[in-house]
Amino acid sequence: MHCPYCRNTDTRVLDSRVADDGGSIRRRRTCPADTGGCGKRFTTVEQMQLTVLKRSGATEPFARDKAISGVRKACKGRPVTEDQLAHLGQDVEDALRLSGAAEIPANEVGLAILGPLRELDEVAYLRFASVYRAFESADDFEDEIAILRAERQVPDSPAELTSAPSG
């Protein structure tokens, strides 16, 4: 590791700590003056590289911007802000990192997008799902809409089940 101050290649690790739920390692380093360095301290962060395995068999580094780009198209004309898209991108990346796998199939990236997008905007979700799941007819849309409606009608908590008005 080169010292960022004097470019000396002989730096030493003083302390290492796991950060971000195991997704990165924070290292406190020093550039020893006795080996011709400047004696300054600095911190490095090593992040796990997420790799996407494409259907063709090729791999490429995960790019949050690329994932957001696809979602942005589905959100065109919808009341979704760039800030919300950025949060969605972060949520997707966090979910992929928490899976613990360094290589993620492209299919799983799409699946990781669907959940947060459904919460953000149902119309954008339907647009994205129609492309991602290759909807072939209006029936596919109707089936997905029926699922969304059914989930909306299911009470979220046991308290809602018992608080129904008595007649």
Side-chain angles (χ1 to χ4, degrees):
M1 170 62 61
H2 290 273
C3 172
Y5 302 106
C6 70
R7 305 298 297 158
N8 183 17
T9 59
D10 188 24
T11 61
R12 236 181 34 229
V13 175
L14 300 175
D15 179 49
S16 293
R17 295 182 187 204
V18 175
D20 297 329
D21 295 326
S24 64
I25 299 173
R26 178 187 165 275
R27 297 193 195 280
R28 192 73 184 132
R29 298 176 179 265
T30 186
C31 179
D34 60 349
T35 62
C38 61
K40 292 185 178 180
R41 291 183 176 192
F42 58 98
T43 301
T44 59
V45 177
E46 298 172 19
Q47 273 199 311
M48 177 180 78
Q49 177 67 49
L50 280 177
T51 304
V52 177
L53 176 62
K54 303 185 85 155
R55 279 182 239 141
S56 67
T59 59
E60 65 180 42
F62 172 78
R64 188 186 314 170
D65 292 340
K66 188 172 178 182
I68 291 173
S69 173
V71 174
R72 184 178 288 116
K73 291 173 190 167
C75 293
K76 189 173 177 107
R78 300 296 303 156
V80 176
T81 66
E82 283 298 314
D83 190 47
Q84 289 172 311
L85 288 174
H87 283 289
L88 182 137
Q90 182 65 53
D91 291 345
V92 168
E93 185 172 351
D94 290 346
L96 295 173
R97 286 190 185 282
L98 286 174
S99 75
E103 191 170 86
I104 309 288
N107 176 13
E108 288 189 32
V109 175
L111 290 174
I113 290 171
L114 286 173
L117 183 55
R118 179 189 293 182
E119 296 296 317
L120 182 61
D121 187 275
E122 286 182 345
V123 173
Y125 164 78
L126 284 170
R127 289 174 178 171
F128 188 85
S130 72
V131 173
Y132 179 71
R133 293 185 178 155
F135 286 9
E136 293 181 4
S137 69
D139 291 340
D140 293 334
F141 280 95
E142 288 174 354
D143 293 344
E144 195 65 34
I145 290 168
I147 291 168
L148 287 171
R149 285 182 176 147
E151 288 175 357
R152 222 187 283 146
Q153 292 173 358
V154 173
D156 289 338
S157 68
E160 291 178 38
L161 291 172
T162 58
S163 63
S166 57

